Every structure is written in structure tokens, then in C-alpha cells.
């Protein structure tokens, strides 16, 4: 029997991942004790208390409304889409790490356990019994509107129980990880694994109550929708660029970005590939340096632009300005 080491405070079935070229599916979750109504593009979604529902959204720009708040978001980025939860109430979700070990294995030492607890913990500011403190704990907390699995790689979903034991069999060797065949630890067999689970806040408190009776309050800030950071393009380096053709190329790039923001469905998907994988500006960088030796203003301007565009490469859901 493999014994669980439960990392306490002081010491989902897989979400929808199938997508096509024009849309993607998400969960909208209601962690509260009352039914809520959420609007996306004026369509109402009635969500009972402590319930999540699936919603399919075409790629492109959408409006989210909850109570007296609203925001615009875009879900056409990051073609390698990652599962995400839409969190309109801005409730707290906990991403908990639990270590499983085979205590019969000689490598499962107390020293290894202590090392694992230390390396798998994160610094978190919270209140315990009305005292505010910062602790290293084996979990993270988020109340983001869009919670992506690419940021918190949970294995066990909301409402799915943490298992009592896990299979500690070795990973399958492929071309990419074939070096494992020469790894002594791989040859000896796996003796431990850390698994991740997402909890609603109250479910997490219920989960840890058997090992900790302290009153715990998370201190995550909840900003109004209007104050949430937006993914947008603000260029400050373009005016330093010499040559009208190079300035025009940057302006055309901005126009192309805003054109893509307003595409929908399969057009958005194709537009993403056409726009984000274009090599036009890279080719102009070489030409610019040939025309203006030792002037790196065009490089700086394109780097600034690409850095901001990369947000849409990294994340499939982004809050944006209404345009």
C-alpha cells in the first residue's frame, strides 16, 4: 500500500479539450451558495450554486456580464489551446499539491519528504486565526476571471476527489525522453509523484479540516472588472524610427492586429496563423540596419511590439479594451 503524505497548512474529470478550427469549450463555474446569471454576448447562462457548466465559444471577441459589471475578452489566441475556467464571481480557487510515496522503497526517506515539502511549497500571505502572516504552503490561490490549465496544471478537477493512492508506474519512453532508459532512478522504478488538484475555496477548507482546524482566510485582492489589466498594444518606440516605409510597416502591423481582433470563428483561427507567424518585420529589421547602420530604433520598436503581441501567443483568453 502506498502511503499518502498530506501536506497541510502548517507542516475534474478532464475538462473539455476537444476543439475545432472555429471554437473552443470552457467551464463557467459558480462557487457560491446561490444561483447566478452570467451573460456572454447577451446570451444568459443560469448556473446553480456550486455548479459548473460547459459553454462553447467561437474564436474572437466576446462580452462577459455579471451583475452590474462587464468586460470584453478575446479567445482567439494561442492555437495550442489550454483548458480554462471562466470565473465570473472572482471566487478563490486553490491549486493543491499532494505527494504520494511508496514507503517500502528505500529512497522514500524522511529527508526526501522534507526536501519535497520545501521545494513544492509557495509563499502565500493569508490570515490564520485572525493573524496575518506569510507562510510556505503546498498550494497556490487565484481568483482570476480566466483560470488556465497552462498556468495551474491540475490533474484532478473541481468536485473530483483526491485519490487515496496513485499508480507509481514509470512513464512511457518515447523518442523525446528516451534518455530515461539510462537513468538509474528510472531503472529502479518510480517511488513518488506529486499530483495537483483544483478546489473551490470552501471545498479546500473542508478537505484540510481533518488535519487542521485553524480559521484560514485568503487575502487575494478582488478588483472590479473595469480595473482588471487588459492585453493591449501601446507603442512608445515607433517615433524614433527613421524612414516612412518602416514606420508604415509598424502601423500596418497594428492595423493587422486590430483586424484580427475582430475576426470570428475559423477566420480568427486562420488570421492568427497568418498574422502571428508572419516574417515581414524580421526581414525589414535587416534592411533597416543596412540603410541606417548603428541605429537600432526599428529593432527596439519591433521588439516592443512583439513583446506585447506575445501575450496573445501565450494565453488563449485575454481581457481586452472595447473597440
Amino acid at each position: 500500500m502506498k502511503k499518502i503524505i498530506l501536506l497541510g497548512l502548517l507542516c475534474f474529470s478532464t475538462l473539455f479539450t476537444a476543439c475545432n478550427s472555429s471554437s473552443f469549450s470552457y467551464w463557467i463555474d459558480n462557487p457560491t451558495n446561490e444561483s447566478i446569471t452570467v451573460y456572454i454576448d447577451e446570451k444568459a447562462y443560469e448556473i446553480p450554486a456550486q455548479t459548473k457548466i460547459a459553454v462553447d465559444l467561437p474564436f474572437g471577441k466576446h462580452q462577459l456580464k455579471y451583475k452590474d459589471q462587464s468586460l470584453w475578452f478575446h479567445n482567439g489566441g494561442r492555437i495550442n489551446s489550454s483548458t480554462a475556467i471562466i470565473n465570473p464571481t472572482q471566487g478563490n480557487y486553490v491549486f493543491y499539491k499532494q505527494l504520494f510515496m511508496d514507503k517500502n522503497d528505500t529512497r522514500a526517506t524522511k529527508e526526501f519528504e522534507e526536501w519535497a515539502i520545501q521545494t513544492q511549497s509557495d509563499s502565500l500571505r493569508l490570515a490564520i486565526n485572525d493573524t496575518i502572516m506569510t507562510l510556505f504552503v503546498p498550494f497556490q490561490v487565484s481568483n482570476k476571471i480566466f483560470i488556465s490549465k497552462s498556468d495551474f496544471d491540475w490533474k484532478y478537477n473541481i468536485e473530483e476527489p483526491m485519490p487515496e493512492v496513485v499508480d507509481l508506474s514509470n512513464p512511457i519512453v518515447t523518442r523525446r525522453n528516451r534518455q530515461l532508459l539510462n537513468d538509474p532512478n528510472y531503472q529502479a522504478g518510480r517511488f513518488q509523484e506529486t499530483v495537483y488538484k483544483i478546489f473551490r475555496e470552501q471545498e479546500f477548507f473542508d478537505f484540510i479540516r481533518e488535519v487542521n482546524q485553524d480559521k484560514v482566510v485568503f487575502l487575494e485582492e478582488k478588483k472590479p472588472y473595469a480595473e482588471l489589466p487588459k492585453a493591449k498594444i501601446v507603442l512608445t518606440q515607433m517615433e524614433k524610427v527613421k524612414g516612412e516605409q518602416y514606420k508604415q510597416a509598424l502601423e500596418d502591423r497594428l492595423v493587422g492586429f486590430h483586424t484580427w481582433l475582430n475576426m470570428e470563428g475559423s477566420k480568427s483561427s486562420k488570421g492568427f496563423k497568418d498574422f502571428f507567424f508572419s516574417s515581414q518585420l524580421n526581414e525589414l529589421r535587416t534592411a533597416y540596419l543596412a540603410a541606417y547602420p548603428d541605429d537600432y530604433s526599428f529593432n527596439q520598436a519591433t521588439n516592443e511590439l512583439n513583446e506585447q503581441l506575445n501575450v496573445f501567443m501565450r494565453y488563449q483568453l485575454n481581457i481586452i479594451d472595447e473597440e
Side-chain angles (χ1 to χ4, degrees):
M1 177 68 70
K2 301 173 180 62
K3 182 179 179 181
I4 298 174
I5 297 176
L6 183 62
L7 307 182
L9 269 175
L10 303 180
C11 28
F12 354 36
S13 57
T14 304
L15 298 184
F16 285 77
T17 56
C19 68
N20 54 41
S21 61
S22 62
S23 65
F24 200 72
S25 292
Y26 310 92
W27 290 120
I28 305 179
D29 190 55
N30 174 16
T32 73
N33 293 321
E34 299 179 353
S35 177
I36 65 172
T37 302
V38 177
Y39 295 86
I40 299 182
D41 302 332
E42 304 302 332
K43 180 178 179 180
Y45 295 89
E46 302 288 341
I47 310 174
Q50 302 288 320
T51 300
K52 61 185 184 298
I53 66 170
V55 57
D56 187 77
L57 297 178
F59 291 143
K61 185 166 64 175
H62 303 278
Q63 186 179 38
L64 171 69
K65 293 181 180 180
Y66 172 63
K67 291 187 173 180
D68 59 347
Q69 300 192 90
S70 68
L71 60 78
W72 289 87
F73 69 95
H74 192 277
N75 73 328
R78 201 172 186 272
I79 290 300
N80 295 322
S81 305
S82 176
T83 296
I85 295 173
I86 300 175
N87 175 25
T89 69
Q90 297 173 282
N92 288 328
Y93 291 82
V94 180
F95 306 89
Y96 176 72
K97 310 169 188 179
Q98 183 159 303
L99 175 67
F100 292 83
M101 292 174 58
D102 182 355
K103 299 297 285 187
N104 294 321
D105 194 294
T106 57
R107 294 168 292 176
T109 63
K110 184 66 176 178
E111 290 74 19
F112 178 85
E113 175 186 343
E114 292 173 351
W115 173 84
I117 291 174
Q118 181 179 5
T119 58
Q120 294 173 8
S121 294
D122 294 278
S123 176
L124 184 67
R125 184 170 174 269
L126 67 169
I128 300 181
N129 298 329
D130 299 322
T131 299
I132 296 177
M133 59 184 70
T134 299
L135 295 176
F136 281 91
V137 292
F139 56 84
Q140 295 171 282
V141 180
S142 175
N143 61 7
K144 293 168 61 177
I145 291 285
F146 305 118
I147 297 176
S148 172
K149 199 170 185 291
S150 62
D151 288 334
F152 305 97
D153 189 18
W154 64 86
K155 181 176 182 179
Y156 297 96
N157 191 21
I158 297 168
E159 301 169 350
E160 186 175 10
M162 182 73 81
E164 294 185 3
V165 295
V166 296
D167 183 4
L168 295 178
S169 59
N170 274 346
I172 298 174
V173 175
T174 66
R175 287 184 179 181
R176 293 185 177 182
N177 65 359
R178 58 179 177 270
Q179 70 276 5
L180 285 175
L181 291 174
N182 299 319
D183 187 325
N185 280 322
Y186 180 86
Q187 296 169 356
R190 180 180 292 183
F191 75 97
Q192 59 82 27
E193 180 180 358
T194 299
V195 299
Y196 300 79
K197 172 172 166 49
I198 178 174
F199 289 90
R200 298 184 183 116
E201 181 180 70
Q202 188 55 52
E203 292 171 344
F204 178 70
F205 292 150
D206 293 342
F207 174 71
I208 65 170
R209 187 165 291 122
E210 63 181 75
V211 295
N212 192 292
Q213 298 295 322
D214 291 321
K215 175 187 174 184
V216 180
V217 177
F218 297 133
L219 304 177
E220 300 300 299
E221 182 182 6
K222 184 185 292 188
K223 292 184 177 181
Y225 281 15
E227 296 179 14
L228 293 172
K230 299 177 177 63
K232 55 185 176 182
I233 308 300
V234 179
L235 297 186
T236 63
Q237 302 294 321
M238 191 163 64
E239 291 305 314
K240 301 176 184 179
V241 174
K242 299 175 181 178
E244 287 303 315
Q245 64 171 318
Y246 298 102
K247 289 184 178 180
Q248 188 62 51
L250 288 166
E251 291 175 355
D252 290 345
R253 187 74 169 157
L254 280 176
V255 171
F257 170 72
H258 291 293
T259 299
W260 170 71
L261 275 186
N262 289 285
M263 293 178 179
E264 296 182 354
S266 58
K267 290 183 179 180
S268 176
S269 180
K270 182 179 185 301
F272 177 90
K273 296 175 183 177
D274 293 343
F275 178 81
F276 284 89
F277 294 98
S278 170
S279 61
Q280 180 184 10
L281 286 186
N282 286 335
E283 295 168 358
L284 286 176
R285 287 160 74 113
T286 302
Y288 187 87
L289 284 175
Y292 305 99
D294 300 322
D295 181 351
Y296 298 96
S297 58
F298 186 72
N299 273 12
Q300 292 168 347
T302 55
N303 287 341
E304 181 183 47
L305 174 60
N306 289 333
E307 181 179 345
Q308 295 179 54
L309 289 175
N310 279 340
V311 173
F312 291 86
M313 293 284 282
R314 291 196 301 268
Y315 299 104
Q316 216 267 326
L317 285 156
N318 291 285
I319 302 173
I320 61 172
D321 280 319
E322 180 183 3
E323 297 182 1

